[in-house]
């Protein structure tokens, strides 16, 4: 049941809201799919406009219907409202998206008093959440095992450090195959996030083997 808000789409499945988590990402249809996970999702039109995203979310949170749903969800699960940023997997290659994600995280913390998490996955499984989900389900795999939730403070701190290092070494060429962009990808994804991601996958596989 998508409800239109200015420059932001709020996606709710009232019968499926089971946890007080707000998912924030790119694209209406991707986030409609994400809302099926039992959360409320927001799809923003243009990741660079993080200021309006925060203000629109605050406006939505003041609505009676959403408050009622969140109250029920808080009773069903953890008593903490949380935010998860889930931009496309090319966030590690796209400087503008990466910077915007970090700014959005900071703005959410300033507005709501808590740092959001980041939902990440290997781009080889799909660019968007919906692509990743469909591709892995088609292979008979549990797509949730291939999603990695990273603390916002750790992700944004690592991202800013990598960007600062890239700025000191290369001309800021934002093409995907430029030395600048490749340095950010290798430093942030390959060296920082992927080892943690792979460790989680190994743990998931071990649990599957054990329970089998």
């Amino acid at each position: 049941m998508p409800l239109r808000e200015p420059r932001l789409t709020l996606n709710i499945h009232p019968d499926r809201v089971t946890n007080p988590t707000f998912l924030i990402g790119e694209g209406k249809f991707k986030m409609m799919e994400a809302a099926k996970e039992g959360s409320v999702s927001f799809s923003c039109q243009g990741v660079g406009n993080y200021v309006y995203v925060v203000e629109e979310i605050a406006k939505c949170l003041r609505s009676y219907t959403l408050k009622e749903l969140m109250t029920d969800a808080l009773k069903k699960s953890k008593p903490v409202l949380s935010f998860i940023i889930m931009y496309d997997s090319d966030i590690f290659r796209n400087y503008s998206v990466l910077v915007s994600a970090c700014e959005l995280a900071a703005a959410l913390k300033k507005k709501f008093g808590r740092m959001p998490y980041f939902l990440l996955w290997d781009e080889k499984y799909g660019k968007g959440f919906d692509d990743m989900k469909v591709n892995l389900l088609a292979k008979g795999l549990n797509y949730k095992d291939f999603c990695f939730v990273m603390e916002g403070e750790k992700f944004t701190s690592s991202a800013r450090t990598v960007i600062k290092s890239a700025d000191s070494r290369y001309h800021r060429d934002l093409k995907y195959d430029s030395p600048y962009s490749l340095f950010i990808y290798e430093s942030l994804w390959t060296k920082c996030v992927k080892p943690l991601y792979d460790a989680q996958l190994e743990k998931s596989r071990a649990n599957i083997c054990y329970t089998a």
Side-chain angles (χ1 to χ4, degrees), residues 7-201:
R7 299 181 296 181
L8 193 75
T9 302
L10 169 62
N11 303 291
I12 306 175
H13 292 274
D15 57 330
R16 297 188 187 183
V17 178
T18 57
N19 63 80
T21 302
F22 293 94
L23 308 174
I24 306 168
E26 310 168 63
K28 174 182 175 181
F29 296 106
K30 297 174 185 178
M31 299 315 294
M32 286 178 68
E33 185 65 33
K36 295 178 182 178
E37 303 301 310
S39 301
V40 173
S41 74
F42 295 95
S43 55
C44 45
Q45 309 303 316
V47 296
N49 300 317
Y50 62 89
V51 175
Y52 87 73
V53 172
V54 173
E55 293 306 320
E56 290 296 336
I57 288 176
K59 182 193 298 183
C60 290
L61 288 174
R62 290 193 292 269
S63 72
Y64 175 78
T65 301
L66 195 53
K67 281 184 178 179
E68 191 174 44
L69 286 171
M70 285 298 101
T71 298
D72 290 340
L74 286 165
K75 292 177 181 177
K76 295 176 183 176
S77 62
K78 59 183 181 181
V80 179
L81 178 67
S82 60
F83 297 92
I84 297 180
I85 297 173
M86 47 187 298
Y87 284 173
D88 289 351
S89 60
D90 67 347
I91 187 174
F92 299 100
R93 297 183 182 277
N94 192 320
Y95 170 86
S96 298
V97 173
L98 179 60
V99 171
S100 295
C102 292
E103 296 294 345
L104 173 59
L108 286 168
K109 182 179 180 180
K110 181 178 181 180
K111 183 72 175 180
F112 301 107
R114 56 180 59 87
M115 194 69 171
Y117 295 89
F118 282 80
L119 184 67
L120 309 165
W121 60 90
D122 195 320
E123 64 180 352
K124 69 182 180 182
Y125 300 121
K127 181 184 178 185
F129 175 82
D130 52 344
D131 301 321
M132 179 270 294
K133 181 177 179 179
V134 169
N135 292 338
L136 290 171
L137 286 176
K139 296 178 180 179
L141 298 171
N142 184 351
Y143 62 93
K144 293 182 181 180
D145 290 338
F146 294 81
C147 295
F148 177 59
V149 178
M150 190 169 183
E151 293 181 353
E153 291 284 5
K154 185 172 184 177
F155 180 82
T156 56
S157 176
S158 298
R160 293 185 191 283
T161 298
V162 167
I163 290 173
K164 184 177 180 180
S165 182
D167 285 337
S168 68
R169 293 167 181 249
Y170 304 100
H171 167 68
R172 187 177 288 182
D173 183 348
L174 303 186
K175 294 191 293 292
Y176 277 16
D177 59 350
S178 70
Y180 181 85
S181 295
L182 291 174
F183 176 85
I184 291 177
Y185 175 81
E186 289 294 330
S187 299
L188 187 57
W189 167 251
T190 307
K191 296 180 180 179
C192 178
V193 177
K194 192 173 188 300
L196 301 174
Y197 180 82
D198 289 342
Q200 176 184 278
L201 281 182

